[in-house]
Amino acid sequence: MPESDAYRLTPASGGPERARRPAPAGLLRGVLWALLVLSATANMVVSGIGVAPGVNLACGLVTAACIVGLVLVRRRGHREPGPAPGPYGGSGQPRR
């Protein structure tokens, strides 16, 4: 019978479980850029040929969604920096 340890953070059997991480932003950005180029090109081709307006509208919506997605990925990746730490590891703000 396995002993249970109250201070163990991982299960005793099977080794440590890895936390599931979201997909890296670089991969998402690459997919969004590729989809943006494809949908914009398809939009131009469909407009030139004169196919039904629904196809043109769908391509335009995909293009707009890719642009919004790229902006959101960009904004999520850039956080506002806080104040620089002081010389002794403080917050950089004078004491009051």
Side-chain angles (χ1 to χ4, degrees):
M1 179 168 190
E3 295 179 25
S4 60
D5 188 1
Y7 298 103
R8 184 179 297 270
L9 296 176
T10 58
S13 63
E17 293 185 19
R18 300 180 87 184
R20 185 174 178 177
R21 286 190 254 163
L27 177 65
L28 180 61
R29 237 185 353 249
V31 168
L32 285 173
W33 272 110
L35 192 57
L36 175 69
V37 169
L38 287 173
S39 63
T41 304
N43 198 3
M44 288 187 294
V45 169
V46 168
S47 295
I49 293 175
V51 180
V55 177
N56 194 1
L57 181 63
C59 291
L61 288 174
V62 171
T63 303
C66 289
I67 292 170
V68 169
L70 284 167
V71 168
L72 290 176
V73 168
R74 171 83 174 179
R75 289 195 48 111
R76 184 177 57 187
H78 290 279
R79 301 276 184 216
E80 288 294 323
Y88 301 106
S91 66
Q93 302 295 324
R95 290 187 185 176
R96 294 182 188 222

